[in-house]
Amino acid sequence: MTTASSADHPTRRDFLFVATGAVAAVGGAATLVPFISQMNPDASTIAAGAPIEVDLAPIAEGQDIKVFWRGKPIFISHRTKKQIDEARKVPVASLPDPQSDEARVKPGKDQWLVVIGICTHLGCIPIAHEGQYDGFFCPCHGSQYDTSGRIRSGPAPTNLPVPPYQFVSDTKIQIG
Amino acid sequence: MSGPSDYQPTNPALKWIERRLPILGLMHSSFVAYPTPRNLNYWWTFGAILSMMLGVQIITGVILAMHYTPHVDMAFKSVESIVRDVNYGWLLRNMHATGASMFFVAVYVHMFRGLYYGSYKEPREILWILGVIIYLLMMATGFMGYVLPWGQMSFWGATVITNLFSAIPYVGDSIVTLLWGGYSVGNPTLNRFFSLHYLLPFVIAGVVVLHVWALHVAGQNNPAGVEPKTEKDTVPFTPYATMKDAFGVSCFMLFFAWFIFYMPNYLGEADNYIPANPGVTPAHIVPEWYYLPFYAILRSIPNKLAGVVAMFGAILVLAFLPWLDTARTKSSKYRPLAKQFFWIFVVVCVLLGWLGAKPAEGIYVIAGRVLTFCYFAYFLIVLPLLSRIEKPRPVPNSIADDVLAKAGKSAPMVSSVIALAVAGALFAGSAPSARAAEGQAAPPSQKWSFAGPFGKFDRGAMQRGLKVYKEVCASCHGLSYIAFRNLADPGGPGFSVAQSAAFASEYKVKDGPNDAGDMFERPGRPADYFPSPFPNEQAARAANGGALPPDLSLITKARSYPRGFPMFVVDLFTQFQEQGPNYVSGLLQGYEEKPPAGFTLPEGSSYNKYFPGHAIKMPNPLSDGQVTYDDGSPATVAQYAKDVTTFLMWTAEPHMEARKKLGLQVFVFLILLTGLLYFTKKKIWADAH
């Protein structure tokens, strides 16, 4: 029996049992790697998540469009002067998730708001141009976002995130 | 044997549970205190090995089902994307596909062990019958699993096996329609086979619980075939049997890993790398090796109904074994005649397996009939007769006496070696393909950089091969399973990410629809796949004189040729897997200007030494100097053939280098573990002797 020898006097037999058990345990743990790793996105899914380019030219002022990147809806809004002013008037410190509008757009491109259109509460898609703040309203649990996509009221904890993007020309952005 | 447990947990939480659900006591009495005969040899570890294999198949199968699509248009492709794109998908698929074969290797050893030692005799009849039921369920599960990849063998295996039921008088055709869910094997068939293939392993697991239950009521049989009488005859299951089983399982994993990492396609058929085509039956269809003996019995009988009855009868007769063999002595060790007939029966089964892989013609048919008679005669004539006329040798008084009698002889190690040898021989007898070589010369074996356990692709050859493909083959042949991004994958042609993107942008890829609803062309991206030269099969045929140029992604795995006896046995040890590359490269160099005298070449065909039937629609594609190499390699047909074949071997198995590398690590580990388990087992058993 494995417990036959006393713990005070480790023997060669104890060493053998411990070594065998340890090697078996290492093998068992290593075996788990492929079985868990297979759940991660596969190579084709990762390749399909490459950056996309979006042409902004057709979007008129006050209009917004929805594009998909990595399966997520990205809202691109061409904001009016009024919307930009609304977003900048608000004292930043009074916001639930304080962030200035300038930090959420690219410098010199104040009219373009690009956000991931997924409510930070539980993942529903907010509706544009609705709610008290002329921004986004989430129909699931009533979260309201302003014209900068910042959370103003409701259960959502944070602002709509800004995806990584850059302007490749005056009227074209690359998301990702 | 296992009485009420005297297990008393000391931990208060465990006590609380045990009073309400005595599951720990059940485990303790079944797998710890359970008395096991002390004279069991290594043949008895196959029970544990089978439990492990069932677990491996269920776990890998559940995972594969997460990535597989049971639809006729997508099944084949989804299996390829598992192997190519899913993390470790190639490993999981190899484990599951070769695991099925390993499961059958183990079950056949287990069954022959039961047959030799009379493990079906009183009081173990139900235990045995449950085993026969498990075996039947395994066959059904294995068959339906083989259908899922939806290759040519899958499709035609499904067609042939379901058609067996059409032999039933009056209702046969209705039953076949019911099985198909249509007028032929099609999408409904695939869907239901997938569903049942997922269900049946859990049914097997349930029957295994009954099997183990029955085993623990009757107690294990043992090589002496005498029941344990006193404490001295048994040892507790843990640690004695547990450690011995662990060692046996570890040895078996070494055997298993050989196939997973080094011979994953040895037990399969090259034709199953061709997508299912309901219009063309492969020239020689054979079932998986584990069905071959029964397939031989089916074919040896010239009447449809009688053949089907004989085939199922060959399995069902096993269930009646306890009443066919009524000899009182259990173990063949003490039955001089039964022992000889047992080994003759083993040989008959192996030969039937070999015949099952041969074309049903000439001498093979006659041999098949003789062996079918021998198979049934063993159960229906020999065993009942032996029970009456054989004079058995005296059996030992007790298991303890049996152990003492053979102390000094080191039987266990020897028998485990024999176990592996017999398992190997079983393969050898039945595994190889049945493709007949109708006037087809085997292409010469070449030296490939990727052959053998340490094989790696030659990057230079792959890059040149890609050039040959692009400039020559791509005008007719697609490469639709390869994306441009793959060119930058580790183990691939060694492109950088930027190089693969630049290569992709040279191609025009159809995309859309755009906002106006129109399809448009754009430069290729790394995520795009190589565009096919023809929009559909009809266009491809129309442009090629009626012949369809096959997609080349899998061509080096989808083509093969028979190696013949004894080479295929040698291949098992030398890891020879390069029939496909030899064939592709041979074919490219096998064109002859003039066919040999007496051979009439059909209009629009060329003569090729290595093409089956010799008349090939593809004109000689390569000539010296046709493709310019920038690295100074000779611009000859031989070099082009070698390079493009190397490239196509990579497209057929992009993760081959990862497979062989991980294989080496696994082998080092398993050898270490097996060694440690051997010494641990020896130390523990030192107390028992």
Side-chain angles (χ1 to χ4, degrees):
Chain A
M1 302 286 281
T2 45
T3 52
S5 51
S6 117
D8 302 337
H9 304 286
T11 60
R12 206 181 287 195
R13 146 192 297 224
D14 285 334
F15 174 75
L16 178 65
F17 293 161
V18 170
T20 309
V23 170
V26 168
T31 309
L32 286 179
V33 172
F35 287 86
I36 293 168
S37 171
Q38 54 85 21
M39 301 268 274
N40 266 318
D42 71 18
S44 65
T45 308
I46 291 169
I52 55 163
E53 286 194 346
V54 182
D55 185 11
L56 303 180
I59 310 169
E61 198 173 305
Q63 231 183 13
D64 53 7
I65 64 160
K66 201 193 284 179
V67 296
F68 278 86
W69 175 66
R70 295 191 172 172
K72 294 174 178 156
I74 309 288
F75 289 151
I76 303 172
S77 310
H78 191 171
R79 301 188 293 180
T80 59
K81 184 89 181 50
K82 177 167 164 282
Q83 286 174 314
I84 299 170
D85 288 345
E86 270 172 23
R88 301 211 161 165
K89 248 182 5 215
V90 187
V92 170
S94 73
L95 297 170
D97 181 12
Q99 200 178 17
S100 71
D101 182 59
E102 287 85 346
R104 294 173 58 79
V105 295
K106 299 286 173 196
K109 307 281 184 192
D110 295 340
Q111 70 274 39
W112 295 107
L113 177 74
V114 181
V115 289
I116 299 177
I118 294 177
C119 180
T120 56
H121 180 218
L122 291 171
C124 296
I125 310 293
I127 302 165
H129 299 302
E130 280 202 20
Q132 297 166 24
Y133 303 93
D134 194 23
F136 306 91
F137 169 73
C138 181
C140 290
H141 308 101
S143 293
Q144 306 212 24
Y145 300 87
D146 64 14
T147 54
S148 188
R150 292 172 299 193
I151 181 66
R152 298 297 285 271
S153 71
T158 55
N159 302 334
L160 293 179
V162 177
Y165 75 98
Q166 70 221 24
F167 278 86
V168 288
S169 75
D170 261 0
T171 58
K172 203 169 233 185
I173 58 169
Q174 187 190 47
I175 301 172
Chain B
M1 297 293 298
S2 49
S5 174
D6 54 0
Y7 174 71
Q8 289 295 337
T10 47
N11 181 309
L14 295 184
K15 261 186 184 156
W16 187 90
I17 296 171
E18 191 66 10
R19 261 192 67 201
R20 286 153 182 85
L21 179 73
I23 189 164
L24 294 166
L26 179 71
M27 289 299 174
H28 186 268
S29 63
S30 305
F31 301 110
V32 179
Y34 174 66
T36 172
R38 67 166 61 214
N39 61 339
L40 296 187
N41 56 34
Y42 276 99
W43 298 113
W44 261 264
T45 61
F46 278 85
I49 289 167
L50 283 163
S51 310
M52 172 199 68
M53 285 314 304
L54 180 61
V56 166
Q57 290 302 87
I58 288 182
I59 292 171
T60 54
V62 166
I63 287 175
L64 290 173
M66 295 179 189
H67 304 283
Y68 169 79
T69 313
H71 186 279
V72 289
D73 295 333
M74 288 176 271
F76 188 88
K77 190 156 187 171
S78 75
V79 172
E80 276 309 309
S81 60
I82 288 173
V83 173
R84 289 158 193 270
D85 289 339
V86 173
N87 298 341
Y88 295 101
W90 59 268
L91 173 63
L92 296 161
R93 200 257 170 139
N94 284 358
M95 282 175 85
H96 197 71
T98 61
S101 282
M102 296 300 120
F103 206 163
F104 276 96
V105 169
V107 89
Y108 283 133
V109 173
H110 193 66
M111 288 163 75
F112 277 124
R113 190 269 288 150
L115 208 54
Y116 183 83
Y117 291 112
S119 300
Y120 46 86
K121 288 171 191 265
E122 199 274 332
R124 300 185 180 86
E125 297 93 332
I126 293 200
L127 173 62
W128 173 262
I129 291 169
L130 287 168
V132 175
I133 292 171
I134 293 171
Y135 176 54
L136 273 172
L137 287 169
M138 277 175 65
M139 292 181 105
T141 312
F143 157 65
M144 288 192 276
Y146 195 57
V147 173
L148 301 185
W150 210 242
Q152 273 289 66
M153 281 294 171
S154 301
F155 183 89
W156 292 102
T159 303
V160 169
I161 301 292
T162 48
N163 266 317
L164 289 179
F165 294 91
S166 70
I168 303 169
Y170 307 114
V171 292
D173 287 335
S174 313
I175 290 180
V176 173
T177 307
L178 188 77
L179 290 173
W180 288 342
Y183 303 112
S184 59
V185 173
N187 200 47
T189 325
L190 178 59
N191 270 301
R192 64 192 56 186
F193 277 20
F194 177 56
S195 171
L196 293 173
H197 183 71
Y198 204 112
L199 167 72
L200 286 186
F202 297 98
V203 178
I204 292 177
V207 184
V208 166
V209 169
L210 297 181
H211 191 68
V212 173
W213 185 12
L215 174 75
H216 284 211
V217 171
Q220 281 162 294
N221 186 27
N222 62 79
V226 291
E227 302 297 329
K229 291 173 187 128
T230 62
E231 287 257 314
K232 277 196 291 183
D233 291 337
T234 61
V235 286
F237 192 84
T238 301
Y240 295 97
T242 329
M243 283 316 299
K244 197 168 182 169
D245 283 348
F247 173 62
V249 164
S250 193
C251 288
F252 192 80
M253 284 200 284
L254 273 167
F255 178 66
F256 186 11
W258 185 263
F259 289 93
I260 295 175
F261 293 105
Y262 294 121
M263 305 292 284
N265 295 312
Y266 182 76
L267 298 163
E269 285 291 325
D271 276 315
N272 223 26
Y273 282 108
I274 304 170
N277 180 350
V280 182
T281 309
H284 292 278
I285 65 166
V286 277
E288 289 284 80
W289 68 269
Y290 34 85
Y291 306 124
L292 286 173
F294 303 103
Y295 191 59
I297 289 173
L298 169 79
R299 294 193 311 182
S300 68
I301 296 185
N303 175 287
K304 183 173 178 179
L305 177 60
V308 173
V309 168
M311 190 187 78
F312 284 108
I315 302 164
L316 290 179
V317 72
L318 291 168
F320 297 93
L321 198 52
W323 297 278
L324 291 168
D325 174 15
T326 51
R328 296 178 60 95
T329 307
K330 285 186 185 124
S331 172
S332 294
K333 245 165 89 176
Y334 306 105
R335 300 181 61 189
L337 288 175
K339 188 195 255 178
Q340 290 176 33
F341 278 106
F342 169 81
W343 288 110
I344 293 172
F345 176 70
V346 172
V347 171
V348 166
C349 290
V350 171
L351 286 177
L352 274 171
W354 174 72
L355 277 179
K358 290 285 163 197
E361 56 198 27
I363 183 75
Y364 298 132
V365 177
I366 297 161
R369 287 182 191 158
V370 172
L371 289 171
T372 301
F373 173 78
C374 293
Y375 181 95
F376 284 103
Y378 178 72
F379 293 106
L380 302 177
I381 301 171
V382 174
L383 286 178
L385 205 62
L386 283 184
S387 317
R388 285 168 182 77
I389 63 165
E390 188 181 37
K391 254 193 135 70
R393 288 168 34 217
V395 298
N397 273 326
S398 69
I399 291 173
D401 283 2
D402 180 48
V403 174
L404 284 176
K406 71 174 179 200
K409 285 190 276 178
S410 66
M413 270 314 284
V414 176
S415 62
S416 67
V417 170
I418 297 172
L420 286 178
V422 169
L426 268 172
F427 271 117
S430 40
S433 77
R435 258 177 310 284
E438 285 154 9
Q440 181 193 359
S445 274
Q446 303 209 13
K447 244 183 98 64
W448 298 106
S449 62
F450 48 80
F454 308 106
K456 279 192 166 27
F457 290 115
D458 174 348
R459 310 268 168 247
M462 283 163 90
Q463 291 176 6
R464 293 192 300 271
L466 171 61
K467 192 161 194 238
V468 175
Y469 168 75
K470 193 182 171 188
E471 291 180 18
V472 184
C473 320
S475 54
C476 297
H477 294 278
L479 198 65
S480 52
Y481 293 103
I482 298 295
F484 297 118
R485 64 182 158 84
N486 293 132
L487 297 173
D489 285 349
F495 279 43
S496 67
V497 174
Q499 278 172 317
S500 73
F503 187 90
S505 65
E506 292 167 22
Y507 283 82
K508 288 267 167 280
V509 173
K510 199 162 203 184
D511 201 349
N514 61 14
D515 291 344
D518 299 323
M519 303 302 281
F520 58 94
E521 280 198 334
R522 58 163 174 79
R525 301 181 189 136
D528 290 322
Y529 288 80
F530 274 81
S532 293
F534 301 105
N536 51 52
E537 185 184 327
Q538 285 77 0
R541 284 189 190 279
N544 288 282
L548 177 69
D551 190 276
L552 295 184
S553 312
L554 278 162
I555 201 79
T556 51
K557 285 210 286 191
R559 294 291 181 273
S560 189
Y561 52 90
R563 291 278 284 169
F565 186 81
M567 276 322 284
F568 67 79
V569 184
V570 177
D571 292 347
L572 181 57
F573 298 96
T574 59
Q575 301 184 355
F576 177 81
Q577 290 259 282
E578 282 73 40
Q579 287 102 319
N582 285 343
Y583 172 81
V584 171
S585 140
L587 182 99
L588 290 172
Q589 300 171 71
Y591 282 87
E592 273 168 18
E593 288 290 316
K594 280 208 181 83
F599 186 91
T600 33
L601 199 60
E603 187 74 17
S605 299
S606 305
Y607 184 86
N608 192 297
K609 264 191 288 186
Y610 303 117
F611 188 72
H614 299 304
I616 186 169
K617 287 275 191 180
M618 174 169 77
N620 190 353
L622 295 172
S623 56
D624 288 346
Q626 185 179 358
V627 179
T628 318
Y629 282 160
D630 336 314
D631 63 353
S633 301
T636 57
V637 169
Q639 186 67 35
Y640 295 154
K642 195 176 176 87
D643 291 344
V644 81
T645 306
T646 303
F647 172 69
L648 291 176
M649 191 62 229
W650 168 74
T651 64
E653 197 185 350
H655 296 300
M656 192 186 75
E657 289 187 4
R659 160 164 74 81
K660 289 180 173 175
K661 190 174 156 216
L662 187 60
L664 185 66
Q665 294 165 350
V666 167
F667 263 90
V668 170
F669 172 81
L670 278 180
I671 288 168
L672 173 71
L673 179 67
T674 308
L676 282 169
L677 283 170
Y678 174 71
F679 289 111
T680 301
K681 180 256 156 193
K682 218 171 137 182
K683 275 261 157 58
I684 285 168
W685 277 80
D687 294 350
H689 293 309

